[in-house]
Amino acid sequence: MALALIALIFVLAVALGLLSRYGRKMDLEQWALGRRGFGAVFVFLLMAGEIYTVFTFLGASGYAYGLGAPAFYILAYGALAYALGYWLLPPISRYAKQHGLITQADFFAHRFANRELGIAVGLIGVVAMLPYLALQLEGLGLIVEVATGRAVGAHLAIVIGTAGLVVYVVASGIRASAWTSVVKDILILAVAVFLGVYLPMHAFGGIGPMFQRLAVTHPQLFTLHTPQGTVWFMSTVLVSVLGFWMWPHAFAYIAAARDEDVFRKNAVVLPLYQLFMLFILFVGFAAIEIVPGLKNSDLALLAAAVATLPGWVTGLVGGAGILAALVPGSLLLIVTATLLAKNGLALVPAFAGERRIEFAARFLVVPIAIAAAAFAIFGSTGIVALLLLGYSYVVQLFPALVLGFVARRLVTTPGVFAGLACGVALLTLLTLTHRHIVQLLPLLPHDLVGLNDGIAALVMNVVALMLVSAATGGRWRAADVETA
Amino acid sequence: MTILRVLLGLLPFLGILAGVFFVNRVTPFVLGMPFLLFWIVAWTVLTAVLMLLVYKLDPRNRRDAAPGSSQGKY
């Protein structure tokens, strides 16, 4: 029963994605940005759909289940990111439209009048997005495997899911994402509210009683403790807020908006929409009682659903889950392919020309999807850890972007390169050696244990950016770039 | 006016980023939730309220503004 429902939802999603191309001529601007004709409703759907991905569905509930209070960071950063978007997004959107920019790398290349910077930014974007895409597919595999009682294995599910994704992305581009995101959000919010109310009722007799009882049986659960103490919380929220709009796929809907006013309206509406996340946290806490001692805490929501609900409800939960993986997955796929084609391949003379780039972008979807699927099948890390790593990389773009707007004359292109290089190099060093910044600098006060490495890299980034900019004034002082 | 809007917009950041250092506690339970969780939920709602105020105070969002007159200070 669960299997049939999940298969049905999957087929419907792919069909809806294919339908969305009906009557549209598909060139790169249409495929990647929907001709920039997305009205308030579509942009809202794309932005809102961004929060409720498989990361929140499995990752947030799993984090609450395994760690408790640190999961509150997921609730906190969304609201602040939308507030920041009120000021940050309209000027970016306007600039992108004025100059016909399609990718985030185009934006940097244009703003700093330097093509190589575009390549570097594109590369950082692709490096950060591949694990994010893999995470969606990994989640999809887990969902199908658990919800169908292992009738379909995780690896097979990843392969089928990836194939469906490729088909509708190649055919319909960003329109497919916006359309399926409507169905996805309705289903996932219904499932989240239902599980978030039902599971605590089932296990504790209500949400209030659940917190009262867990506070007694797990006294450490609802407060922050070293190493994930208040410093960790503050710095992690900050990295996530600043990095939120630095994802290359965020640039896609910033540039796709017809009217910049939608970003100011969304700063009011989306923090409230974010509150649905509470129910997903409730699910994680209830699962502590229902399915204690799971080895993989990312399974908390699914295991609790399977343990307490009939097969057809589990099928709906699983269906919502795969949509939560497919919809953001499709957007990530489009953006990664466009970045590689437009800012990488386009510089090779044989690929110059609009038609060829357009073809290349759609063709690149296939190898990228395969790479992500392989990543999901062969390498596996916790969902939240994977996303946080991606965030600490993309947040490195923040200083150059903001200074490039408000103080363009203070920053030079070599300065931006130096800042990005320092930030990315430090992060890569820390990641590869499995260390944290506090372990490298033993003189830092002990209170700073848990400081997000992204913040440390960001500080180095800004220092290098300012120093090199100051040293390379003269001809790099871009008097020739008009202010937007 | 611009300063007032920026200050209003900064409040949520203060409430969440700085606030967490003072509210890392379980009791009192408010609306059934442990205090730290309640604090974050409250600020999520307050963010929406404050951004609504900012929106209303922002001359760019006046209905009578001519189309295309939404150029900011950038």
Side-chain angles (χ1 to χ4, degrees):
Chain A
M1 187 65 199
L3 179 60
L5 254 173
I6 289 179
L8 180 72
I9 290 172
F10 176 70
V11 170
L12 284 179
V14 174
L16 186 60
L18 287 175
L19 269 180
S20 67
R21 70 165 300 175
Y22 185 75
R24 314 255 174 200
K25 185 176 154 287
M26 279 286 161
D27 55 17
L28 189 62
E29 212 178 357
Q30 171 74 271
W31 186 75
L33 295 181
R35 280 237 159 280
R36 298 176 207 272
F38 281 11
V41 176
F42 260 30
V43 174
F44 172 82
L45 288 171
L46 281 171
M47 282 172 83
E50 174 70 22
I51 333 172
Y52 295 104
T53 71
V54 80
F55 159 71
T56 35
F57 207 57
L58 301 187
S61 56
Y63 226 50
Y65 172 88
L67 295 167
F72 300 164
Y73 104 85
I74 298 166
L75 192 60
Y77 82 75
L80 294 185
Y82 294 119
L84 177 67
Y86 186 97
W87 283 281
L88 189 65
L89 305 189
I92 300 179
S93 177
R94 201 180 316 138
Y95 188 87
K97 231 174 307 176
Q98 267 169 11
H99 301 286
L101 309 176
I102 291 184
T103 66
Q104 183 193 42
D106 287 348
F107 177 85
F108 278 88
H110 192 273
R111 191 70 191 138
F112 291 92
N114 187 300
R115 212 171 61 169
E116 287 71 27
L117 184 61
I119 301 177
V121 169
L123 217 65
I124 295 177
V126 171
V127 167
M129 273 194 300
L130 259 186
Y132 197 0
L133 187 53
L135 161 175
Q136 308 289 347
L137 295 172
E138 191 178 329
L140 181 137
L142 284 180
I143 289 165
V144 176
E145 182 172 286
V146 175
T148 61
R150 298 189 191 279
V152 176
H155 294 176
L156 179 63
I158 290 175
V159 172
I160 299 174
T162 307
L165 192 59
V166 167
V167 168
Y168 84 73
V169 163
V170 170
S172 301
I174 200 171
R175 269 182 195 279
S177 301
W179 276 53
T180 34
S181 124
V182 182
V183 184
K184 180 210 86 177
D185 271 28
I186 292 172
L187 197 55
I188 207 156
L189 293 185
V191 165
V193 172
F194 168 72
L195 289 180
V197 173
Y198 173 78
L199 294 178
M201 284 295 269
H202 178 88
F204 296 93
I207 292 163
M210 172 176 79
F211 282 123
Q212 295 283 353
R213 205 156 104 217
L214 285 176
V216 175
T217 53
H218 300 72
Q220 304 264 297
L221 193 64
F222 299 125
T223 46
L224 298 159
H225 303 278
T226 323
Q228 288 180 305
T230 42
V231 170
W232 174 87
F233 186 90
M234 190 270 287
S235 58
T236 301
V237 170
L238 197 59
V239 163
S240 304
V241 170
L242 301 182
F244 198 82
W245 302 115
M246 297 302 118
W247 285 97
H249 55 275
F251 191 86
Y253 47 74
I254 295 171
R258 191 167 50 209
D259 179 11
E260 64 190 55
D261 184 52
V262 61
F263 301 117
R264 290 193 282 264
K265 281 194 184 122
N266 281 352
V268 179
V269 180
L270 285 175
L272 295 177
Y273 196 67
Q274 167 89 359
L275 282 177
F276 282 102
M277 190 78 74
L278 253 183
F279 292 96
I280 296 177
L281 297 181
F282 295 164
V283 172
F285 290 131
I288 293 176
E289 178 80 9
I290 300 168
V291 281
L294 289 178
K295 237 182 275 156
N296 181 356
S297 59
D298 289 336
L299 289 175
L301 180 144
L302 295 167
V306 170
T308 53
L309 295 164
W312 67 273
V313 186
T314 321
L316 276 182
V317 173
I322 59 167
L323 287 184
L326 288 178
V327 178
S330 64
L331 190 62
L332 290 167
L333 203 47
I334 292 165
V335 171
T336 314
T338 313
L339 259 184
L340 276 178
K342 185 105 195 337
N343 304 94
L345 275 186
L347 308 178
V348 180
F351 282 96
E354 185 109 354
R355 296 281 311 154
R356 286 184 189 168
I357 289 305
E358 197 186 304
F359 181 77
R362 286 163 86 168
F363 174 76
L364 276 170
V365 163
V366 180
I368 293 168
I370 292 174
F375 199 126
I377 290 175
F378 298 114
S380 157
T381 328
I383 285 180
V384 176
L386 217 52
L387 187 71
L388 279 178
L389 182 66
Y391 260 109
S392 54
Y393 273 93
V394 288
V395 79
Q396 302 307 322
L397 300 174
F398 189 82
L401 183 130
V402 169
L403 289 175
F405 255 115
V406 299
R408 179 63 189 87
R409 275 158 209 288
L410 287 182
V411 290
T412 65
T413 312
V416 173
F417 268 115
L420 287 178
C422 282
V424 168
L426 176 62
L427 279 174
T428 310
L429 177 78
L430 292 172
T431 311
L432 293 180
T433 56
H434 298 285
R435 276 165 201 274
H436 286 291
I437 187 70
V438 180
Q439 294 164 301
L440 288 189
L441 300 172
L443 291 178
L444 283 178
H446 184 261
D447 292 347
L448 287 181
V449 169
L451 183 76
N452 189 301
D453 291 334
I455 289 283
L458 202 55
V459 171
M460 263 188 62
N461 176 340
V462 172
V463 170
L465 171 63
M466 296 320 287
L467 284 181
V468 175
S469 289
T472 56
R475 75 188 183 90
W476 289 105
R477 195 74 72 199
D480 53 327
V481 173
E482 83 277 29
T483 39
Chain B
M1 270 317 251
T2 311
I3 292 177
L4 176 63
R5 275 186 281 124
V6 170
L7 284 179
L8 285 174
L10 279 176
L11 276 179
F13 289 83
L14 265 180
I16 290 177
L17 296 176
V20 67
F21 290 96
F22 303 96
V23 298
N24 190 18
R25 49 187 299 166
V26 179
T27 51
F29 284 83
V30 185
L31 302 173
M33 293 179 281
F35 196 73
L36 177 61
L37 179 60
F38 162 74
W39 181 264
I40 291 164
V41 171
W43 273 103
T44 306
V45 177
L46 272 175
T47 302
V49 174
L50 289 167
M51 292 319 288
L52 180 67
L53 264 177
V54 170
Y55 188 92
K56 291 287 178 201
L57 290 171
D58 195 333
R60 281 174 296 190
N61 302 317
R62 295 276 154 75
R63 200 163 302 162
D64 51 353
S69 70
S70 55
Q71 307 300 321
K73 60 180 171 128
Y74 296 104

